[in-house]
Amino acid sequence: MSKIFPNLPVPDAAGIGLRSRHISDMISRRPSAGWLEVHAENYMGDSAAVDALEKLRETYPLSVHGVGLSLGSASGLDRDHLERLRSVCIRFQPALVSEHLAWSVADGAYLNDLLPLRYDDDALDSVAANVDQLQDRLQRRVFIENLSAYIAFANSTMTEAQFLAELVKRTGCGLLLDVNNVYVSACNLDFDAKAFIDDLPADAIGEIHLAGHAVNEVEGDIVLIDDHGSRVPPAVWSLYAHVLRKIGPRPTLIEWDTEVPALDVLLGEAMWADMMAASIDFEKRGPPQIAQQPDRRFHGIELFSTSNLARGAMPAISALTTITPSVFASNSVTRRARYAA
């Protein structure tokens, strides 16, 4: 019989991905974190990690993130995998469930990667049918994540953002906006990251991911690799600020899957995300109106002069939100494909 957990919605605040090296620390300290996210495939059997998650689920809101369902498979979903995912959701009663706009299974062979689709009507039919099946089986709305990409199909008839917007219309699914993935893909494939975000239906975005990436240079060509192995870089924070200004705060996850640091480093990144959200909210509300005359003792002293501060942003955050992401405009997709392979 499944245990009944408290009904804890995932708040519009920053959470962290639960990693094995942090589990004992999380259980003993119960540090402040908005929520936790786990990869579904790590909790499909019985293990000490599953028992630990049951303890943590008593305290923290939970998001379950699938990485192996292969929603882009033209042959449909693996029913056994879908049932295992359903069992995880029944057992832990997460507030959010998400998967990727990708494929990783073909002719019974499983590939250890999340691969991009050709964005056209045929692929949309296949993915929409798979998302319908997924949501029907789980009896809930599922959030679909955009992919980090290193190559693009020459005969796609729509962008990934347009594809996701159509998928929302057809299935009623939600979107998980991975800001780092947008930045990585935009640099690798040379498109406008902000325009990609602006093309998504804002109301459908129910979760955000932030992470670090590796920058590789080969013979003067730059390829960004989505390795989740470092702090969120300034350019991704800047793009996150654009998202916050456009759609407001959402549940935001700090992902860190390789070279995993101490728990306090991860929590510090989450705190930074919360501070940025608070700063943008402060900026949107504007500075308080002061009715009385200014204190003339400080006449002539200019404390700050940046444009963001003039709009009311907190000083420490305003510097990051004005960073312009670099663009590797001279990159050749053909060369990138060769190096990424």
Side-chain angles (χ1 to χ4, degrees):
M1 181 176 177
S2 297
K3 189 174 181 179
I4 303 299
F5 294 109
N7 181 18
L8 299 174
V10 172
D12 290 339
I16 60 172
L18 181 64
R19 301 297 174 253
S20 58
R21 69 166 293 191
H22 299 150
I23 287 177
S24 61
D25 209 5
M26 288 292 299
I27 291 176
S28 61
R29 290 171 49 192
R30 306 288 171 131
S32 176
W35 50 286
L36 302 179
E37 184 170 277
V38 297
H39 288 172
E41 284 72 10
N42 291 336
Y43 296 89
M44 288 181 169
D46 290 320
S47 67
V50 170
D51 296 338
L53 182 57
E54 286 198 339
K55 295 177 182 175
L56 293 171
R57 178 64 183 83
E58 296 281 358
T59 304
Y60 297 98
L62 182 68
S63 172
V64 164
H65 188 48
V67 297
L69 198 53
S70 190
L71 286 177
S73 291
S75 57
L77 301 181
D78 182 318
R79 292 178 181 273
D80 291 337
H81 192 97
L82 178 56
E83 286 307 306
R84 288 191 288 270
L85 176 59
R86 179 172 174 268
S87 296
V88 169
C89 293
I90 291 173
R91 183 167 192 170
F92 294 105
Q93 302 148 41
L96 298 174
V97 178
S98 55
E99 249 290 353
H100 297 84
L101 180 63
W103 66 277
S104 55
V105 180
D107 297 329
Y110 286 78
L111 305 171
N112 189 28
D113 211 338
L114 298 168
L115 299 170
L117 307 171
R118 184 182 66 239
Y119 300 120
D120 61 14
D121 289 335
D122 289 341
L124 184 59
D125 290 342
S126 297
V127 175
N130 290 340
V131 170
D132 281 340
Q133 183 183 0
L134 171 62
Q135 294 188 135
D136 288 346
R137 194 64 189 130
L138 299 187
Q139 287 294 290
R140 63 188 305 153
R141 191 185 200 193
V142 173
F143 295 82
I144 308 302
E145 179 182 351
N146 58 292
L147 204 60
S148 59
Y150 312 96
I151 59 174
F153 288 91
N155 52 353
S156 287
T157 59
M158 60 186 92
T159 67
E160 184 186 16
Q162 292 167 339
F163 189 97
L164 285 165
E166 287 299 316
L167 188 64
V168 169
K169 287 181 184 176
R170 286 202 189 188
T171 68
C173 70
L175 297 179
L176 192 171
L177 172 58
D178 191 312
V179 177
N180 182 58
N181 284 357
V182 174
Y183 182 74
V184 166
S185 298
C187 290
N188 288 339
L189 304 180
D190 193 17
F191 64 79
D192 186 332
K194 290 182 179 178
F196 179 103
I197 291 167
D198 294 346
D199 283 344
L200 297 174
D203 291 344
I205 298 172
E207 186 179 339
I208 292 173
H209 277 182
L210 299 174
H213 56 256
V215 180
N216 293 344
E217 181 174 354
V218 182
E219 297 178 1
D221 200 4
I222 299 294
V223 178
L224 304 190
I225 304 296
D226 179 35
D227 66 349
H228 297 181
S230 57
R231 293 180 184 274
V232 178
V236 175
W237 283 122
S238 178
L239 196 56
Y240 179 53
H242 173 76
V243 175
L244 290 172
R245 290 192 179 98
K246 180 175 177 62
I247 71 172
R250 296 287 193 280
T252 297
L253 180 81
I254 302 298
E255 289 187 299
W256 205 319
D257 296 314
T258 61
E259 306 293 335
V260 177
L263 176 59
D264 286 342
V265 174
L266 201 57
L267 293 169
E269 291 285 279
M271 183 178 68
W272 189 249
D274 281 336
M275 289 172 62
M276 180 170 282
S279 174
I280 300 297
D281 180 63
F282 184 77
E283 172 189 316
K284 292 172 75 173
R285 285 188 285 111
Q289 300 298 314
I290 302 174
Q292 67 270 26
Q293 293 295 319
D295 190 332
R296 295 186 181 280
R297 291 175 300 172
F298 302 105
H299 178 71
I301 299 177
E302 185 177 358
L303 297 178
F304 303 104
S305 60
T306 66
S307 58
N308 261 357
L309 285 176
R311 300 202 307 270
M314 293 178 179
I317 306 297
S318 64
L320 263 182
T321 62
T322 56
I323 291 173
T324 301
S326 57
V327 175
F328 306 101
S330 62
N331 279 357
S332 152
V333 172
T334 302
R335 293 176 67 193
R336 271 184 231 112
R338 184 171 71 250
Y339 294 134

